[in-house]
Amino acid sequence: MDIRGYETGPIAAEAAFTSDFEIPADLPVQKLVDMLEIERRSMDIRPGMRHKYTPLRFDPAAGTPQIGGRYLFDTWENVLDYDHFTGSELEFEDGVKFWDRPFFLGVDRHIWRVTGAHDFTPLATTHHVNRFERWTYNGDAADAARLLEGAWPALRDDAGVAGAASAWLLHQPDEKQIGVLTVAARTAAKTPGEAASRSLDALARTPSPGRLLPDALDATQVFDWTSLILAMWLPESRMLGGAPSSYPAAPVHPLPTVPPQEPLGT
């Protein structure tokens, strides 16, 4: 996979967007993957998107598929643009706004200020599973922002020592929420299915960098999902003539069967 333009180290991103929701159990994963690849072409052209992870997991009790998005944007203005575009303009079915689609069940979406984000290892080859956690907190949002800025170096270094491929620390001041995303590589195993299972279990069992959130925040965890990365949208790679997307969960989950996007300049 010819993925271009994503370097390791600190990520220059001011904003993030996350979504989480369920989809019907009878929606085939192949159809879902093809939909992601086709719809990406109308969505990853929005200004300022660095990349998107599409997580996929299955509720451990009910088996319900759970999906969503984890995006980074260069500026707050551009994440607001994306939120408005997807919420008020985008339609893939006539008269139905994107987030109102009947097969998107219980959509929970947020826009975030990025306190810090760092890729420790190459996105192109080592980003396979992710864990997204959210906390609510008490107190003043400006004070929380300062506390998170101070905590970020320790959270970042802890994630790196634990072997993370990437880590983000996010703040939603209006909702008084904190988000932590950790990404990890695939764990070695004899079969792809076993590797996927072991990778999910390993990341879920790794102590979260969120345990280092300052006590003064009085943070309460409200969300914790560990998922395979079904798809990555890669607009920076696309703009450099490289792959526009990748599907790290293959071959456990299928690759798209739709015609590939024409390279830039053709």
Side-chain angles (χ1 to χ4, degrees):
M1 182 70 68
D2 181 20
I3 296 174
R4 305 178 187 179
Y6 294 96
E7 304 295 334
T8 57
I11 299 171
E14 295 180 0
F17 182 98
T18 65
S19 63
D20 294 281
F21 52 96
E22 296 187 343
I23 56 175
D26 60 355
L27 179 64
V29 177
Q30 183 68 69
K31 182 175 181 179
L32 176 63
V33 168
D34 288 346
M35 185 184 304
L36 280 167
E37 181 59 21
I38 290 295
E39 296 182 359
R40 172 190 63 75
R41 302 171 192 186
S42 301
M43 300 176 76
D44 78 349
I45 58 174
R46 302 307 298 182
M49 186 190 298
R50 182 187 190 262
H51 74 283
K52 173 200 176 185
Y53 302 120
T54 299
L56 176 65
R57 72 191 296 270
F58 296 86
D59 181 88
T64 309
Q66 297 169 325
I67 196 168
R70 293 61 176 112
Y71 309 68
L72 286 178
F73 285 84
D74 57 354
T75 67
W76 184 248
E77 290 73 22
N78 281 335
V79 83
L80 290 176
D81 167 80
Y82 189 76
D83 185 54
H84 174 77
F85 171 69
T86 56
S88 302
E89 298 179 13
L90 182 63
E91 296 181 359
F92 290 109
E93 299 86 26
D94 288 344
V96 181
K97 296 296 184 285
F98 181 75
W99 295 114
D100 295 333
R101 299 167 109 174
F103 55 92
F104 285 4
L105 310 175
V107 174
D108 183 15
R109 73 184 201 268
H110 306 268
I111 55 175
W112 303 87
R113 303 277 185 179
V114 174
T115 302
H118 194 103
D119 277 352
F120 300 99
T121 60
L123 176 151
T125 56
T126 62
H127 293 210
H128 294 106
V129 294
N130 77 105
R131 180 182 183 184
F132 184 48
E133 302 167 87
R134 291 190 285 113
W135 290 260
T136 58
Y137 66 87
N138 296 312
D140 180 74
D143 289 341
R146 288 191 289 271
L147 288 168
L148 292 172
E149 289 284 352
W152 166 241
L155 269 72
R156 177 199 60 212
D157 293 349
D158 181 78
V161 168
S166 186
W168 309 353
L169 177 60
L170 312 176
H171 181 212
Q172 192 2 283
D174 296 328
E175 301 170 0
K176 294 191 175 181
Q177 291 207 50
I178 300 160
V180 172
L181 181 81
T182 47
V183 180
R186 183 182 290 118
T187 300
K190 293 181 179 179
T191 68
E194 184 181 0
S197 180
R198 287 187 177 184
S199 301
L200 289 167
D201 186 63
L203 182 55
R205 289 177 180 271
T206 299
S208 168
R211 74 190 190 283
L212 302 179
L213 291 171
D215 291 341
L217 290 168
D218 191 23
T220 300
Q221 191 176 63
V222 295
F223 185 90
D224 185 357
W225 280 5
T226 302
S227 313
L228 292 176
I229 297 175
L230 179 65
M232 291 195 291
W233 293 358
L234 307 167
E236 292 190 2
S237 176
R238 174 178 53 76
M239 288 186 289
L240 291 171
S245 58
S246 70
Y247 291 81
V252 175
H253 294 303
L255 294 169
T257 58
V258 298
Q261 185 176 20
E262 292 293 331
L264 290 178
T266 61

